[in-house]
Amino acid sequence: MGSLSALDQPLQYPIARRDESVVDDYHGVKISDPYRWLEDPDSAETKEFVQKQVELCESVLKKCNTREQIRDRVTKLFDHPRYGAPYKRGKKYFYSHNSGLQAQDVIYVQDNLDGEPEVLLDPNALSEDGTVSLNTMSVSEDGRYLAYGLSSSGSDWVTIKVMHVEDKTVEPDTLSWVKFSSINWTHDNKGFFYSRYPAPKEGENIDAGTETNTNLYHELYYHFLGMDQSEDILCWRDSENPKFMFQGSVTDDGKYLLLYILENCDPVNKVYYCNMSALPEGLQGFRGKDLLLPFVKLIDQFDALYTAIANDDTLFTFRTNKGAPRYKLVRVDLKEPSNWIDIIPASEKDVLESADAVNGNKMIVSYLSDVKYVLQIRDLETGSFLHQLPLDIGTVYEITARREDDMFFIHFSSFLTPGIIYQCNLGAGVPDMKIFREISVPGFDRTEFDVNQVFVPSKDGTKIPMFIVGRKNVDLDGSHPCSLYGYGGFSISSTPSFSISRIVLARHLGAFFCIANIRGGGEYGEEWHKAGSLSKKQNGFDDFISAAEYLIAAGYTQPSKLCIEGGSNGGLLIGACINQRPDLFGCALAHVGVMDMLRFHKFTIGHAWTSEYGCSENEKEFRWQIKYSPLHNVRRPWEHPTKASQYPSTMLLTADHDDRVVPLHSLKLLATMQHVLCTSLENSPQTNPIIGRIEREAGHGAGRPTKKLIDEAADRYGFMAMALNATWIE
């Protein structure tokens, strides 16, 4: 579907070699994998395939008339100052800032909120092309040291460095092979806990980020400032469970180290604790010894998620989903570990998203109510409600609060609100909330647009929330371009956020942009998540298809004008939906998708996703996966009793340093679609293009420099505009 008059002749797709000898037996079912060779990112043949696809993609994009107009407009709107919420360490305040088109955000420090800000760390000075990014950071309790993790080309691999805050000097400390790690300082400011994997063996000198080896044997370490990494203390490992992952967290009183143990991506964990104040020689006593820290097991089974909120000596408050799919707050005394009491019971409908201790005996509690954030001040000891904070419909991105402070900051954003940082003071008892900074975008007028939320019945009758954003006073005559986005996995919620590229679509292409909150996400807690995972994964696809059908029936758009988009688990969503309903869409944009459901668990951190998708090595779970796996369900629609004459115009987007969802997923699906739909036939009915946009020196998405973000937006939405026959409106 979609008019592609700009493509006046059929595309000449490169022919990729098919190795018909590669056949796997899954529980008696023979499955061929003719593009298995594309799983080797370093082979000359894979590199040649990628180069030819890059050239094909560029040949199509050159014919997208609106591409440069989109790039120009997105660049102009991007050029505005952006800020993160400030937070306090020692007597200093720290925050992130981007002047507009800087590749990466810069970290600033100031002596007080009115003081002169100074640049502390500028990642833009660390690479010419902006591909070195800040992955994680943590300031010591006294505000004297900054430990920060750098990532190259968007890889999940991190190198931790240390800076002396006062004189901005970088210390010699360098910690390598760090991944999926936080940085947690001890309160004596002598060092910090971090997580890493063992270094590759000799001879495995790899370009970190392009490898596909599975990540096993995560470890928790403590680093002493000024020491070589080889001197770090190994605090915890579990050789019998190589897939477990470990995060260390130091309590607000500095007394306890909490160890969170994760098995996969399910919201369940184990919790151990170590009373550091009771170690006879402190952490120093473990240097040079082959001893793990003496942890006590508080929670030793994977049946719920526990996150510590605060503690008074041995009395701990946790947020948990134990018997509470929408979460609750509970309390336990470490001296009586079997006696747990509820502090805030679970809500009947709203999800308790987070809780932060502040001002001694208060806490800020965040709820998600029909995909909209609600903030409350409650009593930390009793959980009783004290105040509700006034918030518009939108998303709370961060709350920077400490129990010792009476003031905290809230970073808020929404579809039509680029960003507001609120300052809230609890010193007078009643919350005093005011705007500390408001982010404004020159040339953007929020009064031109409307935001609506609808609840769409899915195939089984479940009501699915969907936000619809577009220009005001538009006739719903089915003539408008429309972009529909979805994710629906891993208990992650898709909440209202400001997007310059989507505003450009609405303003200059006359498009609606929509977000469907399908099952599998966390919008209504764990029940909503479970209803769209494992054997019920199809529910999420049905929800998304129902959302698309609603937009057509309600007159927002028509199939030839509808583009669907999603990334990662949402890329899988797009791949599955174009296979199942190619008649329903005019364009599809699938970013870094999980496309081979039978082999994803074999690469990097894919083994952790079996809690969401199952594993093909289990026969029952293989039967679920084979029904929707995008790679294994590409069919010629014109040979089947569907309404579709061909697939929609499709762009698969991936990146060479994506070590989360490795590029082989998109490359194998691209080769398969081009073969089945295009090159295996003379005069194929598939005239809509099937192309791959393969980014060099980039990863799964995090840390991508501003220029790459803008270039990708211009490419994918220029392609969308051509596919949907959308014209530019000044």
Side-chain angles (χ1 to χ4, degrees):
M1 313 205 76
S3 167
L4 282 151
S5 51
L7 297 178
D8 44 17
Q9 53 195 32
L11 285 181
Q12 298 301 306
Y13 292 97
I15 305 295
R17 175 176 68 88
R18 288 175 63 81
D19 184 351
E20 305 290 358
S21 70
V22 182
V23 179
D24 294 312
D25 187 318
Y26 290 93
H27 317 287
V29 180
K30 298 283 197 295
I31 304 286
S32 66
D33 194 5
Y35 301 114
R36 177 77 54 87
W37 55 270
L38 281 169
E39 293 181 1
D40 179 0
D42 300 316
S43 78
E45 193 174 20
T46 298
K47 289 176 178 176
E48 182 187 12
F49 174 86
V50 167
Q51 182 56 36
K52 285 180 176 176
Q53 295 296 340
V54 167
E55 291 166 5
L56 176 70
C57 180
E58 186 55 34
S59 74
V60 172
L61 292 174
K62 278 179 183 171
K63 296 174 180 174
C64 297
N65 296 331
T66 59
R67 181 193 189 192
E68 293 312 315
Q69 290 165 301
I70 293 171
R71 189 194 320 275
D72 181 60
R73 191 68 190 134
V74 169
T75 302
K76 281 190 170 70
L77 288 177
F78 238 105
D79 195 4
H80 69 275
R82 298 182 293 284
Y83 296 87
Y87 57 94
K88 193 176 184 182
R89 291 293 180 273
K91 295 183 178 178
K92 296 181 184 290
Y93 285 89
F94 300 82
Y95 66 93
S96 64
H97 171 56
N98 192 308
S99 61
L101 294 176
Q102 288 176 288
Q104 302 288 344
D105 292 353
V106 178
I107 305 302
Y108 284 78
V109 60
Q110 53 191 152
D111 289 335
N112 54 64
L113 290 175
D114 300 317
E116 185 67 30
E118 296 178 14
V119 172
L120 178 61
L121 175 64
D122 183 0
N124 301 295
L126 301 178
S127 64
E128 289 185 15
D129 59 359
T131 56
V132 172
S133 64
L134 186 62
N135 174 283
T136 185
M137 61 172 280
S138 180
V139 180
S140 61
E141 286 297 306
D142 59 7
R144 292 180 60 207
Y145 291 99
L146 167 71
Y148 57 98
L150 299 176
S151 163
S152 295
S153 303
S155 167
D156 279 333
W157 288 112
V158 169
T159 300
I160 295 178
K161 305 283 289 179
V162 177
M163 178 183 285
H164 191 264
V165 171
E166 196 60 45
D167 59 13
K168 322 289 189 292
T169 54
V170 178
E171 305 291 329
D173 307 56
T174 301
L175 311 183
S176 303
W177 302 107
V178 179
K179 201 178 209 184
F180 309 131
S181 178
S182 54
I183 298 172
N184 282 267
W185 289 85
T186 45
H187 285 213
D188 60 7
N189 307 297
K190 290 181 178 176
F192 51 83
F193 297 97
Y194 70 100
S195 310
R196 58 166 289 186
Y197 284 100
K201 298 182 180 69
E202 285 297 320
E204 289 184 0
N205 195 4
I206 51 178
D207 177 7
T210 62
E211 81 290 353
T212 59
N213 320 32
T214 194
N215 300 140
L216 299 172
Y217 301 105
H218 210 222
E219 299 165 329
L220 180 72
Y221 276 87
Y222 182 78
H223 174 69
F224 286 98
L225 282 185
M227 305 301 293
D228 189 80
Q229 187 176 14
S230 62
E231 305 278 322
D232 290 354
I233 295 170
L234 174 60
C235 302
W236 193 256
R237 68 183 305 177
D238 187 343
S239 302
E240 294 180 9
N241 293 287
K243 294 178 181 178
F244 283 9
M245 291 187 288
F246 309 109
Q247 297 287 346
S249 177
V250 177
T251 53
D252 280 347
D253 60 5
K255 188 173 177 179
Y256 293 95
L257 169 65
L258 298 178
L259 175 68
Y260 294 113
I261 302 175
L262 301 159
E263 185 179 25
N264 47 43
C265 290
D266 242 10
V268 297
N269 63 2
K270 297 183 180 186
V271 183
Y272 299 173
Y273 65 90
C274 172
N275 184 350
M276 294 186 289
S277 67
L279 300 175
E281 301 174 63
L283 292 168
Q284 287 276 7
F286 289 83
R287 288 183 58 183
K289 296 179 183 174
D290 193 17
L291 288 173
L292 301 178
L293 294 190
F295 283 100
V296 178
K297 298 174 180 180
L298 178 63
I299 304 290
D300 198 29
Q301 60 274 336
F302 291 117
D303 69 344
L305 182 72
Y306 295 84
T307 309
I309 304 303
N311 73 298
D312 289 296
D313 195 23
T314 59
L315 201 60
F316 273 75
T317 303
F318 285 90
R319 172 181 174 264
T320 184
N321 56 12
K322 172 78 168 176
R326 284 173 294 285
Y327 292 86
K328 63 182 179 180
L329 292 195
V330 296
R331 186 160 295 146
V332 67
D333 192 324
L334 301 184
K335 296 171 185 169
E336 300 179 57
S338 60
N339 184 23
W340 295 73
I341 58 169
D342 287 2
I343 301 302
I344 302 180
S347 161
E348 287 187 13
K349 185 183 173 197
D350 299 342
V351 183
L352 201 166
E353 285 280 294
S354 67
D356 296 271
V358 67
N359 196 26
N361 62 347
K362 307 284 194 304
M363 58 181 161
I364 313 143
V365 180
S366 168
Y367 283 98
L368 197 58
S369 177
D370 279 334
V371 208
K372 300 176 283 285
Y373 276 77
V374 175
L375 282 188
Q376 299 175 352
I377 305 296
R378 286 180 176 256
D379 185 280
L380 177 59
E381 187 179 346
T382 65
S384 58
F385 174 86
L386 299 173
H387 307 280
Q388 182 144 323
L389 299 180
L391 274 188
D392 200 355
I393 291 173
T395 298
V396 173
Y397 277 100
E398 57 179 335
I399 297 170
T400 59
R402 294 191 303 176
R403 192 170 177 182
E404 64 200 72
D405 299 329
D406 58 10
M407 185 176 66
F408 62 94
F409 295 89
I410 302 161
H411 186 179
F412 175 85
S413 170
S414 190
F415 292 119
L416 305 179
T417 305
I420 296 176
I421 297 179
Y422 292 104
Q423 180 179 345
C424 189
N425 198 317
L426 298 179
V430 177
D432 174 21
M433 187 162 146
K434 62 183 183 182
I435 293 176
F436 177 71
R437 280 197 176 109
E438 185 158 12
I439 296 160
S440 64
V441 178
F444 166 66
D445 179 2
R446 65 174 295 159
T447 64
E448 293 182 18
F449 305 94
D450 266 335
V451 178
N452 289 304
Q453 187 182 33
V454 297
F455 294 84
V456 178
S458 187
K459 184 177 180 180
D460 63 1
T462 303
K463 294 289 181 67
I464 308 302
M466 176 165 62
F467 290 105
I468 303 172
V469 185
R471 296 181 73 181
K472 287 182 175 174
N473 305 319
V474 173
D475 290 334
L476 298 184
D477 57 5
S479 67
H480 310 289
C482 189
S483 165
L484 173 61
Y485 172 88
Y487 185 78
F490 297 93
S491 200
I492 292 169
S493 303
S494 300
T495 57
S497 64
F498 187 77
S499 163
I500 283 171
S501 53
R502 286 177 178 154
I503 290 293
V504 169
L505 295 188
R507 175 66 185 81
H508 294 286
L509 294 178
F512 289 99
F513 67 86
C514 313
I515 294 179
N517 298 107
I518 63 178
R519 283 172 286 184
E523 286 86 351
Y524 292 101
E526 237 347 69
E527 292 163 333
W528 194 255
H529 169 221
K530 294 297 186 198
S533 66
L534 297 172
S535 64
K536 298 176 180 174
K537 192 70 185 165
Q538 182 62 39
N539 280 343
F541 310 146
D542 290 341
D543 295 349
F544 197 66
I545 287 167
S546 297
E549 290 175 329
Y550 171 87
L551 291 168
I552 293 162
Y556 287 96
T557 191
Q558 57 186 276
S560 64
K561 295 279 188 182
L562 177 57
C563 175
I564 54 172
E565 182 171 16
S568 196
N569 175 78
L572 156 62
L573 168 71
I574 302 308
C577 286
I578 58 175
N579 282 339
Q580 293 180 17
R581 287 297 303 275
D583 59 299
L584 200 54
F585 318 111
C587 182
L589 306 172
H591 304 241
V592 294
V594 185
M595 303 304 195
D596 184 347
M597 300 313 299
L598 304 186
R599 289 176 59 78
F600 71 84
H601 59 285
K602 296 178 178 288
F603 307 103
T604 63
I605 197 60
H607 59 77
W609 313 333
T610 55
S611 57
E612 189 77 12
Y613 304 133
C615 179
S616 60
E617 292 167 18
N618 174 302
E619 182 173 359
K620 181 176 73 169
E621 296 171 2
F622 161 75
R623 301 283 174 193
W624 309 334
Q625 295 172 331
I626 195 63
K627 288 178 182 173
Y628 69 82
S629 175
L631 181 65
H632 302 96
N633 286 281
V634 179
R635 308 275 188 271
R636 296 169 181 161
W638 54 88
E639 293 178 359
H640 294 267
T642 68
K643 303 169 194 164
S645 57
Q646 58 172 319
Y647 269 62
S649 300
T650 301
M651 177 187 278
L652 306 181
L653 299 92
T654 189
D656 61 355
H657 278 70
D658 188 345
D659 48 4
R660 188 85 56 81
V661 181
V662 286
L664 64 90
H665 285 276
S666 295
L667 301 185
K668 287 169 69 175
L669 181 59
L670 188 61
T672 300
M673 290 181 72
Q674 289 178 351
H675 170 78
V676 172
L677 302 173
C678 308
T679 60
S680 57
L681 291 172
E682 280 191 37
N683 302 317
S684 169
Q686 181 67 41
T687 55
N688 290 335
I690 310 289
I691 60 173
R693 185 187 187 278
I694 305 163
E695 180 84 73
R696 310 292 177 87
E697 300 299 322
H700 195 60
R704 193 162 289 192
T706 300
K707 185 176 185 306
K708 281 187 186 285
L709 292 173
I710 293 170
D711 288 345
E712 186 188 272
D715 288 355
R716 72 182 195 265
Y717 291 135
F719 179 76
M720 179 191 103
M722 182 173 71
L724 305 186
N725 208 18
T727 51
W728 186 260
I729 305 163
E730 273 306 337

